[in-house]
Amino acid sequence: NQLIESELFGYEEGAYTGAKKGGNIGKFEQANNGTIMLDEIGEMPLDMQTRLLRVLQENVITRIGSQRSIPIDVRIIAATNKDLKKEVELGRFRKDLFYRLNVLPLYLPPLRERTHDIAILFQYFMKNLSAKYEKKEFEITAENIRLLESFSWPGNVRELENVVELIINTEDFPYKY
């Protein structure tokens, strides 16, 4: 938890063993007057949820090892693959935090329910990852796309991205008919 806390809120020099000389600002300070993306918010431990709720209510953060409050102004985008209403009912997610975050809920269906996006995402990842690794783009056939569209994609878009990375690195389509 201390690692998550130090990443989000920062820390002062000497706040804990291994703390950098001079301390470190956290993601909330970095995002001041902007937007912060909190991915997998449903995995956040309850004690961290309490701290995050306090930040949202008071618009201030306190670095680990400090008593000084630092005012912040951030918009939060929170993402999860969990049903947070159910997590609230089960006592694993704070109800008050849920309502604070649930201002403009967006539901993005899993990739298996929007197979028409697979070819577009595949090309996007192919172009970007090929450039990143300085490798040539792999030519994909319509049959390959149809095969990709037939998968259930439990890992969603991240899994598709990993498949594209595998294709680029092996220069081969990993699935055979």
Side-chain angles (χ1 to χ4, degrees):
N1 280 0
Q2 192 170 28
L3 179 61
I4 297 169
E5 196 172 358
S6 68
E7 278 290 311
L8 292 177
F9 308 117
Y11 57 87
E12 295 295 323
E13 183 174 334
Y16 56 88
T17 306
K20 274 192 335 190
K21 186 176 174 94
N24 196 39
I25 69 170
K27 301 297 184 196
F28 273 94
E29 275 184 87
Q30 291 174 12
N32 193 29
N33 296 317
T35 304
I36 187 170
M37 167 68 176
L38 301 176
D39 197 11
E40 300 299 346
I41 192 79
E43 302 296 330
M44 185 176 276
L46 281 169
D47 60 325
M48 284 297 301
Q49 292 177 34
T50 303
R51 180 107 192 254
L52 177 59
L53 181 63
R54 199 170 315 124
V55 169
L56 295 176
Q57 290 171 333
E58 299 171 9
N59 293 318
V60 296
I61 57 113
T62 305
R63 291 182 185 172
I64 297 174
S66 175
Q67 301 298 316
R68 185 173 61 97
S69 294
I70 301 168
I72 57 159
D73 178 19
V74 295
R75 287 177 305 278
I76 294 179
I77 298 173
T80 185
N81 64 353
K82 293 188 173 188
D83 179 345
L84 288 185
K85 282 185 181 177
K86 184 171 276 188
E87 293 297 304
V88 166
E89 290 170 11
L90 294 171
R92 296 191 292 231
F93 199 84
R94 291 185 59 111
K95 187 179 203 175
D96 43 5
L97 180 58
F98 172 75
Y99 288 118
R100 278 277 185 179
L101 294 173
N102 198 37
V103 176
L104 180 62
L106 300 173
Y107 173 72
L108 183 61
L111 191 54
R112 69 184 160 275
E113 292 177 16
R114 51 191 176 95
T115 56
H116 57 278
D117 288 348
I118 291 174
I120 296 165
L121 289 166
F122 185 94
Q123 291 304 327
Y124 172 80
F125 291 135
M126 181 61 68
K127 180 179 183 215
N128 289 313
L129 292 171
S130 294
K132 176 182 176 181
Y133 295 121
E134 299 178 352
K135 294 191 172 203
K136 70 179 180 96
E137 291 185 31
F138 183 85
E139 293 295 322
I140 188 123
T141 66
E143 185 59 35
N144 292 147
I145 292 293
R146 280 193 291 282
L147 187 60
L148 292 174
E149 290 173 346
S150 72
F151 291 156
S152 65
W153 298 107
N156 280 307
V157 174
R158 289 185 185 116
E159 184 179 6
L160 177 60
E161 182 179 20
N162 290 341
V163 166
V164 173
E165 189 170 353
L166 175 66
I167 291 169
I168 290 169
N169 287 315
T170 61
E171 298 180 358
D172 189 29
F173 190 76
Y175 306 104
K176 303 302 175 205
Y177 312 103

